[in-house]
Amino acid sequence: MQQAEPILRMVDVRKTFSGFSAVAGVTFEVKRGSIHALIGPNGAGKTTLFNLATKFLKPSSGQIIFKGRDITALLPSAVARLGMVRSFQISAVFQTMTARENVRVALQTTRDDCFSFWRPQGVLNVLNDRADALLADVGLSDLRERKVTELAYGQRRALELATTLALDPELLLLDEPTAGMGREDVGRIAAMIRRVAQNRTVLMVEHNLSVVSDLSDRITVLARGEVLAEGSYAEVASDPAVKTAYMGTAHG
Amino acid sequence: MKMNFDKAGWIVLIVALLVAPWIFYPLLLVKILCYALFASAFNLLLGTCGLMSFGHAAFFGTAAYVAGHAAKVWGLPFEACLAVGVAAAAAVGAVFGYLSIRRQGIYFAMITLALAQLIYFLALQLPFTHAEDGLTSIPRGKVLGLFSLDDNIVLYYTTAVIFLAAFSFIYLVINSTFGQIVRAIRDNEMRAVSLGYDVNRYKLLAFTLSAAIAGLAGANKAIAFKLATLVDVHWTTSGNVILMTLLGGLGTLFGPVAGALVFVMLENYLADSGLPVQLVIGAIFILCILLFRRGVIGEIERLVLRRS
């Protein structure tokens, strides 16, 4: 069945930065419909792996397969158009625009007038309803006309999520979605992730282990650029190698 | 409020364009308009797209030579001369853009400078540019085949119409569906990529449009002053257009126009004063950067918007 085919498969992927192996031959799969977490001590190569999967970095060797298609040679923008969309560790927004305009930029990808330098942007107003609905989903209805610079940190992260969801990605990659948030915001974002994951696949890098145990169906532990362990939260947590890795770097 | 500010700007601009030749020498105004358009084209790239080109003289100068050659040697009518000048600048712009947009910041600026120097040396060596002498005595011809451009008032109003049309075109581009994405790329390029935009194609189009409009300014200048010389492709011209833009207000619609006005006026009046022109302009530029960073129009806009 189609269920058996993983949505994302990375095969022996390596990335070397001038002699240093940030990712040293990682093979792993993300099952369609799951919430999959990548954890590991700082410097384990989690974000590098994210950058490789979305092609923001070119792998030194190895193969990346998305929806059964080899995407190893594609541009990052082409990967996004195929349905794998990422967020960033530092909230990535368009700072001179309003919240609504931010979401509209994402919705514009569905239109065929992106290169129409003669068409007044008033025609984009037809996207306002969808943009507002997405903003309402992340609790930003009241702030939709505000400039992004007026938004608080947690609100910007929510806006980033709304912008990402505007593309309706099949595979959503979240890089530390709760980083730097207070407890209340963490709870809200976690609930939001659970909700949006109902009809898509989520791969996330996350340090907050309670969020990870709460949300994830499957967890891959990375250390020094290699897969250390993989399984459910309970399996991974009881793995002696994982314990050593975390203790060894005095983390968690 | 921003809307009203721009509207007031348009009214001031159009009224000024209409009455100016009755107050100032028309040829001086033609020079101002050519540089104002050149600076506005440059601002389209730096202000909207965030790309700092240090080689825009290449497009201005290429179009000046090509339009001049078309008028003098080929004997083409005025409008056709402008068209071939613009086409030449757009073609050079597309090639230079393709070669430079993959780099960012200072690297981008250096590549555009290096490519522009290439044009400078070509202009020095090619037979049709006449090296140090340049193209001189370019015939102005007639506008629409009817009115002789040798009448300075006709020349002025023709230039004013060309300027206004091109300036409106820039306004259209900035506020287009395309302009919206270009601004997103300027704000956060990685994020635009992650949303699926092939940013290099957008940058290339913006670069080519900017080069084409810079070319229109150069072609118009060459025919108005019957002259295309090495100064038009020299790096100091690339530098001057940056200066005008920053002086007037980077990223503001009317800033480059105000910057060109101040710059050309200063150059014109200081030329008779016996003072070292470049030195005084340099000093004024430093003062501007220190006192009002947003440029003349940028500061006025801020004052008006704050008061309301």
Side-chain angles (χ1 to χ4, degrees):
Chain A
M1 279 289 291
Q2 208 182 0
Q3 203 65 22
E5 173 68 20
I7 189 162
L8 175 69
R9 199 146 58 90
M10 300 183 79
V11 185
D12 196 27
V13 171
R14 286 166 201 276
K15 181 66 189 179
T16 318
F17 295 107
S18 49
F20 167 71
S21 284
V23 171
V26 165
T27 298
F28 90 115
E29 295 180 353
V30 178
K31 273 209 198 83
R32 197 178 274 274
S34 65
I35 299 183
H36 194 128
L38 272 177
I39 63 169
N42 284 328
K46 303 178 300 281
T47 297
T48 307
L49 202 62
F50 249 47
N51 286 329
L52 290 169
T54 48
K55 295 307 313 299
F56 273 74
L57 283 176
K58 282 198 180 82
S60 307
S61 70
Q63 207 181 17
I64 302 157
I65 291 149
F66 178 57
K67 294 195 288 185
R69 175 175 171 177
D70 189 338
I71 60 160
T72 318
L74 291 188
L75 285 176
S77 52
V79 171
R81 287 195 296 271
L82 280 176
M84 175 178 359
V85 183
R86 64 171 299 179
S87 72
F88 292 83
Q89 220 171 88
I90 301 150
S91 71
V93 289
F94 304 117
Q95 68 266 17
T96 63
M97 301 184 187
T98 63
R100 180 195 270 158
E101 282 173 323
N102 265 266
V103 180
R104 262 178 27 172
V105 169
L107 292 172
Q108 234 182 302
T109 54
T110 58
R111 295 174 62 90
D112 56 7
D113 59 3
C114 290
F115 285 100
S116 303
F117 55 79
W118 57 89
R119 181 168 290 177
Q121 58 186 261
V123 298
L124 298 176
N125 286 337
V126 299
L127 301 172
N128 286 353
D129 286 348
R130 279 207 59 204
D132 291 354
L134 285 156
L135 287 167
D137 268 352
V138 298
L140 290 177
S141 278
D142 298 339
L143 301 167
R144 63 194 179 201
E145 311 265 11
R146 292 284 183 84
K147 277 262 155 64
V148 164
T149 42
E150 296 172 41
L151 300 186
Y153 179 76
Q155 293 166 336
R156 287 196 202 188
R157 299 294 321 232
L159 174 62
E160 198 195 342
L161 190 57
T163 308
T164 308
L165 290 173
L167 297 176
D168 198 15
E170 279 178 71
L171 175 57
L172 180 61
L173 276 71
L174 302 172
D175 198 354
E176 299 194 30
T178 69
M181 285 191 178
R183 192 181 297 171
E184 226 172 90
D185 281 335
V186 170
R188 177 135 42 84
I189 291 284
M192 217 182 289
I193 294 170
R194 187 193 301 282
R195 190 150 43 84
V196 302
Q198 273 165 5
N199 44 12
R200 56 173 60 82
T201 314
V202 175
L203 174 64
M204 63 176 180
V205 169
E206 183 55 57
H207 276 300
N208 188 325
L209 289 181
S210 75
V211 172
V212 170
S213 72
D214 229 31
L215 292 177
S216 333
D217 304 309
R218 199 167 177 80
I219 294 158
T220 300
V221 186
L222 287 180
R224 284 183 228 96
E226 290 172 15
V227 174
L228 200 60
E230 197 175 280
S232 68
Y233 187 77
E235 283 164 8
V236 161
S238 59
D239 191 309
V242 175
K243 282 182 184 159
T244 317
Y246 269 84
M247 297 298 207
T249 55
H251 194 283
Chain B
M1 212 30 232
K2 173 95 176 84
M3 214 64 143
N4 289 340
F5 184 82
D6 280 355
K7 205 178 279 178
W10 279 105
I11 294 168
V12 170
L13 178 68
I14 290 168
V15 170
L17 283 176
L18 285 172
V19 303
W22 311 109
I23 304 165
F24 295 99
Y25 180 50
L27 270 183
L28 175 66
L29 296 171
V30 167
K31 189 174 180 185
I32 290 170
L33 287 180
C34 289
Y35 281 103
L37 184 57
F38 184 25
S40 297
F42 174 79
N43 187 43
L44 174 64
L45 193 60
L46 179 57
T48 313
C49 204
L51 289 172
M52 166 82 175
S53 156
F54 209 97
H56 254 49
F59 317 124
F60 185 81
T62 296
Y65 275 117
V66 171
H69 187 77
K72 194 178 173 183
V73 181
W74 298 339
L76 293 184
F78 172 68
E79 295 80 7
C81 292
L82 293 185
V84 292
V86 170
V92 174
V95 174
F96 283 15
Y98 181 80
L99 294 171
S100 58
I101 48 166
R102 273 151 236 278
R103 295 281 170 270
Q104 276 154 0
I106 191 74
Y107 301 102
F108 173 82
M110 288 300 110
I111 291 172
T112 51
L113 173 61
L115 291 170
Q117 286 305 94
L118 204 70
I119 293 286
Y120 176 81
F121 288 112
L122 280 177
L124 196 59
Q125 299 294 337
L126 287 176
F128 89 97
T129 56
H130 300 282
E132 308 280 344
D133 299 335
L135 284 179
T136 51
S137 317
I138 297 166
R140 283 180 185 163
K142 292 174 175 174
V143 61
L144 303 172
L146 296 171
F147 310 104
S148 171
L149 288 165
D150 286 322
D151 179 341
N152 280 347
I153 287 289
V154 175
L155 177 71
Y156 169 77
Y157 279 111
T158 305
T159 305
V161 168
I162 291 169
F163 168 80
L164 204 57
F167 190 69
S168 306
F169 176 73
I170 290 173
Y171 181 78
L172 186 70
V173 172
I174 293 172
N175 294 293
S176 68
T177 51
F178 168 74
Q180 184 73 8
I181 293 166
V182 168
R183 257 197 306 285
I185 293 170
R186 176 199 63 191
D187 278 7
N188 194 330
E189 182 168 339
M190 283 297 109
R191 184 53 173 156
V193 171
S194 80
L195 295 177
Y197 290 110
D198 188 352
V199 297
N200 284 340
R201 292 174 62 198
Y202 291 87
K203 285 187 189 174
L204 181 58
L205 180 55
F207 195 100
T208 308
L209 286 172
S210 172
I213 301 164
L216 179 60
N220 195 346
K221 193 235 84 176
I223 291 179
F225 293 91
K226 303 164 153 288
L227 195 65
T229 67
L230 289 174
V231 174
D232 298 330
V233 285
H234 198 254
W235 65 266
T236 49
T237 299
S238 298
N240 285 345
V241 78
I242 298 174
L243 232 133
M244 291 175 204
T245 306
L246 295 181
L247 205 61
L250 171 68
T252 60
L253 181 60
F254 298 101
V257 180
L261 176 77
V262 172
F263 189 95
V264 176
M265 285 290 197
L266 275 176
E267 213 178 42
N268 187 58
Y269 290 111
L270 288 175
D272 304 332
S273 69
L275 291 166
V277 178
Q278 292 298 329
L279 199 71
V280 175
I281 289 181
I284 289 173
F285 181 62
I286 292 170
L287 275 178
C288 276
I289 292 291
L290 291 175
L291 294 178
F292 24 91
R293 279 181 201 184
R294 293 157 209 264
V296 178
I297 296 294
E299 289 294 338
I300 294 173
E301 189 175 271
R302 193 173 61 106
L303 284 177
V304 170
L305 293 182
R306 201 171 52 182
R307 193 161 293 178
S308 63

